[in-house]
Amino acid sequence: MNQGLPASPILLAPAGSLPAVEAALSAGADGVYIGVRSLSRGGRAGLSPDAVGAAVSACRRAGARLHAAINAIPSSVELPAFLAFLHRLRDAGVDEVILNDPGVIALARREIPGWTICASVGLSVLNPEDARAYRDLGVDAVVLPSAVRPEEIPPIKWASGLRIEVFAHCRPEFLLHGKCGLTGYVVEGDGGGTASAKRGGSCRLVCRNLPIPATSHSLEDELPVWIAAGADVFKIEGRELSPPAVATLVTRFRRKLDAACAPSAGR
């Protein structure tokens, strides 16, 4: 495994299109994560397979990393094509893949040694034993649900040695992050599996029509606490966002993160 723990926290921005990749980089993101159509939750908010190379090139020019969220869960008959596509991403220069299934993680680690693998928030790592189990499967990093508090990070990090990612900005969580199955229940006529966001379908953001708090979950005023706790990556949710919206969020968090990491911030 490639541990590669960052010396200081990095800002990871979302992008659902090539213009959004460029917007995130111009605003100061250290890395960008994309989805790929049909293989990532989010439906149309993803790049075509042919566009991934252009995203890699944009990140290389900016000195940033490109992560790919491949959080669809393949069936047994789909596994060979799924693995072939992971090889294609690796060969295209994608630095890191975000995966959402224990078996797929083990397969990717065995078949593509040396590639950095992140356990998706959909795997709901909540405690040190969860983190250690995924480390043993082969991951290098884990995205924690927003239900995890700063004081819970040190034992998770100490037990696993993994890079710890947290959501700096995301939709409010009323179910455990990554565990929502509302789309599959609400959308009719999609032929079963294709209605599920976990099976290559689209998250229809059904929650936007429910009477739940609309205020975004944000750590922007708590960054020093999370940095002190050991968060390595601050991730912004929103691959469906427009390029201007991505730029606005990244600019805001870049400023806040730089201020929190400044030598005078700890005095």
Side-chain angles (χ1 to χ4, degrees), residues 152-172:
E152 298 176 88
I153 289 179
I156 291 173
K157 192 169 183 177
W158 181 86
S160 67
L162 296 175
R163 190 178 75 236
I164 302 297
E165 302 190 7
V166 299
F167 279 104
H169 189 276
C170 62
R171 289 187 292 272

Side-chain angles (χ1 to χ4, degrees), residues 4 54 67 72 108 119 132-133 140 143 160 169 171 185 197 203 209 211-213 245 265:
H67 302 208
R132 198 151 34 202
D140 304 285
V143 186
S160 67
H169 189 276
R171 289 187 292 272
Y185 284 102
C203 174
N209 298 315
I212 60 172

Side-chain angles (χ1 to χ4, degrees), residues 9-35:
I10 68 170
L11 182 60
L12 185 60
S17 65
L18 285 175
V21 171
E22 295 284 1
L25 295 171
S26 296
D30 299 302
V32 177
Y33 70 99
I34 60 169

Side-chain angles (χ1 to χ4, degrees), residues 81-135:
F82 189 90
L83 179 60
F85 190 78
L86 293 184
H87 276 286
R88 181 177 173 184
L89 290 177
R90 180 69 175 103
D91 293 344
V94 171
D95 297 291
E96 182 166 333
V97 66
I98 305 165
L99 297 174
N100 194 48
D101 178 74
V104 167
I105 287 171
L107 176 67
R109 173 52 64 219
R110 183 175 70 248
E111 299 294 330
I112 316 177
W115 201 18
T116 304
I117 299 174
C118 179
S120 169
V121 68
L123 291 168
S124 301
V125 172
L126 292 171
N127 57 57
E129 291 306 316
D130 287 342
R132 198 151 34 202
Y134 283 107
R135 178 203 64 194

Side-chain angles (χ1 to χ4, degrees), residues 185-254:
Y185 284 102
V186 172
V187 178
E188 297 180 358
D190 266 356
T194 57
S196 169
K198 300 298 186 187
R199 292 282 295 121
S202 172
C203 174
R204 309 299 175 90
L205 297 176
V206 176
C207 57
R208 288 182 175 174
N209 298 315
L210 298 179
I212 60 172
T215 304
S216 296
H217 168 81
S218 179
L219 304 182
E220 60 186 293
D221 295 324
E222 306 172 36
L223 290 175
V225 174
W226 289 85
I227 293 169
D232 299 298
V233 178
F234 289 97
K235 186 174 184 177
I236 297 172
E237 185 182 56
R239 285 186 283 117
E240 76 285 356
L241 295 175
S242 68
V246 169
T248 296
L249 276 173
V250 173
T251 298
R252 195 168 88 209
F253 275 91
R254 178 79 275 162

